[in-house]
Every structure is written in structure tokens, then in C-alpha cells.
Amino acid sequence: MADATTRKEQPKAADEGEELTDGFHLVIDALKLNGLTTIYGVPGIPITDFGRMAQAAGIRVLSFRHEQSAGYAAAIAGFLTRKPGVCLTVSAPGFLNGLTTLAHATTNCYPMIQISGSSEREIVDLQQGDYEEMDQLAIAKPLCKAAFRVLHAADIGIGLARAIRAAVSGRPGGVYLDLPGKLFGQVMNAEAGKKSLVKVIDPAPAQIPAPDAVKRALDVLKSASRPLIILGKGAAYAQADAAIKTLVETSGAPFLPMSMAKGLLPDLHPQCAGAARSTVLKDCDVVLMIGARLNWLLSHGKGKSWGEAPKKFIQIDIEPKEMDSNVEIAAPLVGDIASCVAALIEGMGGNWPKPPAGWINTVTGKRDENVAKMAPRLMNNNSPMDYHGALGALRTIIKERPDTILVNEGANTLDLARGIIDIYQPRKRLDVGTWGVMGVGMGQAIAASVETGKPVLAIEGDSAFGFCGMEVETICRYGLPICVVVFNNDGVYRGTDVNAAGADPATTAFVKGARYDKMMEAFGGIGVQAETPDALKQAVAKALASGKPTLVNAVIDPAAGSESGRIGNLNPQSALKKK
Ligand SMILES: Cc1ncc(C[n+]2csc(CCOP(=O)(O)OP(=O)(O)O)c2C)c(N)n1
Ligand SMILES: [Mg+2]
């Protein structure tokens, strides 16, 4: 009967003089060959040595306190760089901690590869109770775009090539790569190993739209009397910034940026209709969607928010199945955004008719009215702060330092910051994405800093921050120029709820008067307590100028927020009266 030691394959004995390599080094070499030089992860069996060796080989290996933050970092690194962000985890629990983020990457169309070590296949498959036993490949498969396992060192090169291509080609997404512990120790001839590696050629090939589809799209756009362009985060991902600007300006149409597309054209651009959202959605007659989907964030393209006026949709998306997902798409334009936008610009020629002045005046009139209405609220210096006063201060900070990357999560903290803080440059606003997931903040802030070298300002609800707050140690450890502002209103949505039935606190309330700034101080960073918008502004300006890891505990009136921020309507209601 085989015991555990005889089950393990013994490394192949080297022939005299034969140069060998192993699984550890083949994975490292394959990553480097493909320009994947940053790993976000958490160490442990069976990938601890791999992390050390990768670091020694020049890969930047950032160790986090929890895989979820490492995974959110990898996911947003993919968004920012158009290369798959790599997250490295241990087996079963580490794998599962990362998996939420892999699913999140897939939902948001960010290219990411989660590499997890896994336990002995022979034992896992017979369910004999191995250390951290789990059939990880089977579990990952339905939650990501593709999932692969490599069993032989000679297949590492091809395995990683498949993972990269799956992550970035077509609609990007999350890929799972399962590397059993034993694989790392397998040895093979070094020369044969080198030859087995694959440098992926043209990993995200251009997908040129069909000429007929381009003509159809232009015909529909030309027929518009009240055109609208909606920019999604796909448009931001495409890094076709100049072409998108040309298209928008040539069309003369008002544009509406989705949250993470803000800044693709500056929010203060004369055609920006961000502050007239309800008017443009209701009254437009033709909508050109660029890398945006008609999901819940756009009320599925129908219903009250879209008004009575009939609409025609033109949609640019690389995924043909996206078309007609919610309403009829009159002009589907399937292809990559850069190619589609270039084809539209070419077809528009030099004298594309501008939209009727009446439409433009209606939109700018409404926008200016809304902006003027909001202005005085942003200038209050109340203590405790309300959201508008605090965000008014931070809005000025971003205006003064438009290259700062803004990370944002929470409910009120998210919804109000999105509306209030203008963004001036592409890919400078990162947030919760399609799922509205809490806990992305610190991972995104860390990756944004590491990948771009830009200063980062993370505006976090106190609940949102709680999902990832331990990563302030990671921020301090790597000395990253990140300023975290915690909007501390003592709870989820508000800090004022009381439990009518007993002694326990209400389900949405936290410890009152908590000092999140002390968490940053605990690891050698700078902590500040800010009770007025002026103090907040001063603290953040100082933090961004110094580049020192800073956490500002911004004291927000616990009564200032509203249930679920701007999406309270999504809470289920019963026909029975609430008790
Ligand atoms: C992973 C996850 N768990 C739970 C939720 C539900 N949720 C939505 S917003 C939110 C927190 C809102 O509170 P906070 O971050 O303090 O923002 P505030 O509204 O108080 O400004 C929670 C828990 C979620 N979106 N994601
Ligand atoms: Mg809160």
C-alpha cells in the first residue's frame, strides 16, 4: 500500500551535467516573458517559496493581509493596464477568499488571473481529507471566464498563455489557474523548459466592426434630433481617449459618463450632461452607448427613468451577446472600442451636422440649473459635517490635483461623491463597479498607486472601510502615497438607528465616535481627526503633498445619510405594514 511519501513523485534525478529547471522557475519565467511583473497575494502552503523566488527574480510581489484585498488590487490593475492583474493565493480558504474578486473582475470585465496553489490531486479527488482539500477548479469554473489546471511542468508555458489570452481577448474577465503544490517541485531539462514557454502574440486582437454595421450606426445617429452618448467603463478601459473625445466633439451630442468613465472627457466639458442625467435619459431619441451596458445601473434601458419618448439605441460592445440584452438595439456595433470609434469618426467625415440648438440648450440649461442649486450646499463649513460640506472640500482638492486617482466606496459616501466630485482625466475614478460591492477600497488604492505612481485619495464610508481596513498596514509597509478619508457617520447609511426590541445595537449602527485615524497611526502612518470641511481639506492637501500614508477620520453627522444612498428604491417592500 502506498503511503504519503511514496505517493509524492520524487524529483527526477539529474543526468550528469544536465541543467534542470523546476515548476517554480517556469511559472516565474512564463510570467516575466509575458510582462506580468506584479503579483498581489497572501503567502502560505504551497506558494510561500514561489512568492520568495518570484520576488528574488525581480517580480514585484505585494503581500496583503487578506486575499480579498489582493484580488481587488489585481482586478483593478487589470482595468488600469489592460494586462491581466495577477492574484496569488493558497488553497481552499485562500482560494475562496480570492474567488469573490475573480467573479467581480469577470462581472466588471477586468482582465485578471487568480493563481491558487492546490492540494494533492490524488487525495482531493478521492476526498481523503488532504490539508486544505478542495476541488478548486470545479468551484471556480462557473464564476469566471475560464479556468485551467496545469499538472506537468512542461505545460506551464501553455497554461499561462491560455490564461492570459482568455483574460484579455474579447470581453476581458477573470481567469482561474490552478497550480497543484506538486507542480512547483517538478523538474525538467532547462533548455526544454525554456522552449516550452509561450510569449502570447497579440493577446487582445483588434476586432474590426463590419462596414454595414458602421453605416447603420451612422444612419441612426444622423436621424437623431436629441442624441445622447453614454460612456461606460469599457470606454475608459479601451484607452482610446483621444478618439473618443474626437467622436463626442464631432457629434456635438451631450454625453453622460458612467461612474468609472468620468474624466474620459472632463466633467466640466461643455457637452457633459452628468448634472442633467434625468433630463437626457427621459428626453433623448437616439442613444449611442460606448462600452456601457443596459443593466440595472441604466434601469435596463426602459421604464420611468427613460420616459415616454421612443428611443433608438446604437451600442458598441465587443461581446455580440450584449446586444438586445434588455431592449432592442437598432444598430449593434460589434468590435473593440478603438476600432469602432475610429470607423465612426471616419464615416462622419468633416461636416457632420450638429444636433438642433433646442436640444443642446435644454440640456445645458438643466445642467447649469442643477449645478447652481447644489453650489451653496458644497460650501458649508458645518460641524459635524454633512456629506455636501465634506465632499465640497474634497472636490476642490481634486480640482487642484486632477492627476490624483480617486477611489470611492460606501452608500451615501459613494453616491454623493460620484455626483459632487468632478473628474478631469481618464481612469482617475475607481469604485465599486457593477455589483456595488463593499471592500474594494484599500486593494484598489494600493494597486492604483503601484501601477500608476500617482497619488491616491480613497473616500470610504465607515462600513465600506471596515471590509478592508486592515490593509492600512499594507499601505504603511510599502510606504504608498495614499490618503484614506473615512466618512465616519457611525454606521451603515446612518448612525442613528435604534433597536426597539432589546439591548443589542441596531443592525446598521457602529460604535459611536470611533477613531479610525488611530488604525493608521498603529502602523506608523499619519492619523488625523477632522471635524470641519476646512480641517478635512487641510489634512488631505497635506497628505497628498507629502505622499505619506494618511488616514483622516472625517466626522459626519450620523443623521445626514439616507437609506441605501441613492438606491433605496431597490429595497424590497412588503404589502404588509412594516412592524
Ligand atoms: C460585500 C458587500 N456586503 C454588503 C453590502 C451592502 N452594503 C451596501 S452599502 C453598505 C455600507 C454603507 O455604509 P457606509 O460605507 O458607511 O456608507 P454611508 O452610506 O454610511 O456613507 C453595505 C454594507 C455590499 N454592497 N457589499
Ligand atoms: Mg457610514
Side-chain angles (χ1 to χ4, degrees):
M1 201 170 83
D3 64 17
T5 40
T6 54
R7 264 203 204 112
K8 286 198 174 130
E9 273 169 30
Q10 295 303 317
K12 203 178 90 182
D15 294 343
E16 195 91 19
E18 185 188 6
E19 213 181 308
L20 296 176
T21 186
D22 59 15
F24 289 109
H25 290 92
L26 286 166
V27 178
I28 291 165
D29 294 346
L31 287 168
K32 286 175 72 174
L33 183 65
N34 286 287
L36 302 180
T37 52
T38 307
I39 293 176
Y40 301 91
V42 175
I45 296 172
I47 48 97
T48 316
D49 271 345
F50 172 74
R52 292 190 183 111
M53 290 181 197
Q55 194 171 43
I59 290 181
R60 187 148 197 219
V61 184
L62 292 119
S63 277
F64 284 67
R65 304 303 293 261
H66 192 291
E67 289 85 356
Q68 200 161 293
S69 290
Y72 288 134
I76 210 69
F79 170 77
L80 289 168
T81 64
R82 294 169 62 82
K83 288 196 294 194
V86 179
C87 173
L88 178 68
T89 84
V90 302
S91 7
F95 157 79
L96 287 173
N97 282 346
L99 199 55
T100 307
T101 73
L102 194 66
H104 158 87
T106 308
T107 297
N108 285 280
C109 316
Y110 304 152
M112 166 177 171
I113 300 174
Q114 177 174 330
I115 300 178
S116 295
S118 59
S119 305
E120 298 274 350
R121 285 255 45 86
E122 294 86 343
I123 306 179
V124 172
D125 287 348
L126 276 171
Q127 299 168 38
Q128 294 173 309
D130 204 3
Y131 169 70
E132 296 191 346
E133 175 179 299
M134 179 171 274
D135 189 0
Q136 296 169 192
L137 186 70
I139 290 163
K141 233 174 223 173
L143 296 173
C144 58
K145 193 177 167 195
F148 306 102
R149 176 186 291 135
V150 182
L151 290 174
H152 300 292
D155 291 332
I156 286 171
I158 213 75
L160 190 72
R162 298 211 73 187
I164 292 170
R165 205 174 270 289
V168 296
S169 62
R171 172 175 280 179
V175 176
Y176 175 60
L177 189 61
D178 192 271
L179 302 184
K182 251 202 288 201
L183 178 78
F184 291 102
Q186 275 183 31
V187 294
M188 66 182 288
N189 176 278
E191 193 51 36
K194 198 171 170 194
K195 283 200 186 122
S196 72
L197 300 182
V198 177
K199 182 167 167 52
V200 182
I201 296 162
D202 196 11
Q207 296 192 20
I208 312 292
D212 282 2
V214 175
K215 183 173 180 310
R216 191 187 297 118
L218 288 171
D219 287 346
V220 174
L221 188 59
K222 202 170 236 173
S223 75
S225 350
R226 297 181 306 281
L228 170 67
I229 296 176
I230 297 183
L231 303 171
K233 68 178 172 302
Y237 174 79
Q239 297 195 16
D241 308 334
I244 289 171
K245 181 168 184 280
T246 303
L247 173 66
V248 170
E249 289 180 347
T250 309
S251 79
F255 71 91
L256 191 63
M258 299 302 286
S259 185
M260 282 175 57
K262 275 164 72 83
L264 207 44
L265 285 86
D267 280 335
L268 299 182
H269 189 284
Q271 285 167 257
C272 183
R277 188 178 194 272
S278 41
T279 301
V280 288
L281 289 187
K282 269 202 186 78
D283 295 343
C284 65
D285 65 348
V286 167
V287 187
L288 167 58
M289 317 259 308
I290 308 181
R293 294 173 287 187
L294 284 171
N295 57 19
W296 71 281
L297 287 158
L298 283 170
S299 311
H300 306 282
K302 55 196 171 191
K304 224 168 75 190
S305 351
W306 287 88
E308 299 297 318
K311 327 269 176 208
K312 281 188 174 164
F313 289 94
I314 307 163
Q315 184 162 22
I316 300 179
D317 203 288
I318 201 161
E319 174 55 63
K321 290 203 298 288
E322 186 59 40
M323 306 302 165
D324 307 325
S325 58
N326 284 276
V327 295
E328 178 191 276
I329 301 300
L333 198 51
V334 176
D336 70 275
I337 286 171
S339 301
C340 290
V341 168
L344 288 178
I345 293 170
E346 198 191 326
M348 288 166 101
N351 49 2
W352 185 261
K354 293 288 179 243
W359 172 235
I360 300 301
N361 292 341
T362 305
V363 177
T364 42
K366 190 72 203 168
R367 182 193 66 196
D368 296 347
E369 182 191 321
N370 286 343
V371 169
K373 231 190 279 173
M374 173 111 85
R377 299 183 67 187
L378 301 179
M379 285 158 57
N380 83 63
N381 200 32
N382 295 343
S383 179
M385 294 183 268
D386 58 29
Y387 286 92
H388 287 82
L391 289 168
L394 297 176
R395 175 184 197 253
T396 311
I397 294 270
I398 295 294
K399 189 172 184 185
E400 287 165 1
R401 296 175 164 271
D403 67 333
T404 305
I405 298 187
L406 181 73
V407 170
N408 189 201
E409 60 175 335
N412 293 281
T413 304
L414 175 87
D415 291 344
L416 292 166
R418 181 176 53 234
I420 290 170
I421 300 184
D422 295 318
I423 304 289
Y424 301 86
Q425 297 175 11
R427 294 169 295 283
K428 293 289 187 279
R429 184 187 154 85
L430 309 173
D431 65 33
V432 296
T434 311
W435 271 346
V437 59
M438 296 298 110
V440 293
M442 295 305 98
Q444 289 190 342
I446 291 167
S449 169
V450 166
E451 300 289 343
T452 70
K454 301 281 183 204
V456 177
L457 171 61
I459 305 179
E460 300 270 310
D462 51 346
S463 166
F465 177 71
F467 287 75
C468 55
M470 194 62 207
E471 304 299 343
V472 295
E473 188 277 332
T474 311
I475 292 171
C476 289
R477 186 162 20 104
Y478 292 99
L480 299 172
I482 294 173
C483 176
V484 182
V485 176
V486 175
F487 271 38
N488 186 358
N489 65 345
D490 297 343
V492 176
Y493 314 141
R494 271 187 305 260
T496 49
D497 278 9
V498 283
N499 170 9
D504 278 348
T507 55
T508 55
F510 295 154
V511 165
K512 308 221 176 304
R515 294 289 301 269
Y516 293 96
D517 48 319
K518 301 286 180 196
M519 286 176 68
M520 189 59 109
E521 285 178 355
F523 303 106
I526 299 195
V528 184
Q529 163 91 340
E531 296 181 1
T532 64
D534 283 349
L536 173 62
K537 190 173 160 213
Q538 220 172 30
V540 175
K542 192 168 166 200
L544 293 177
S546 74
K548 289 191 186 140
T550 301
L551 192 152
V552 184
N553 185 54
V555 181
I556 304 288
D557 181 352
S562 52
E563 178 87 0
S564 304
R566 287 271 165 90
I567 54 172
N569 60 311
L570 298 182
N571 285 305
Q573 299 294 331
S574 168
L576 296 178
K577 249 191 160 166
K578 254 192 200 169
K579 283 220 177 101

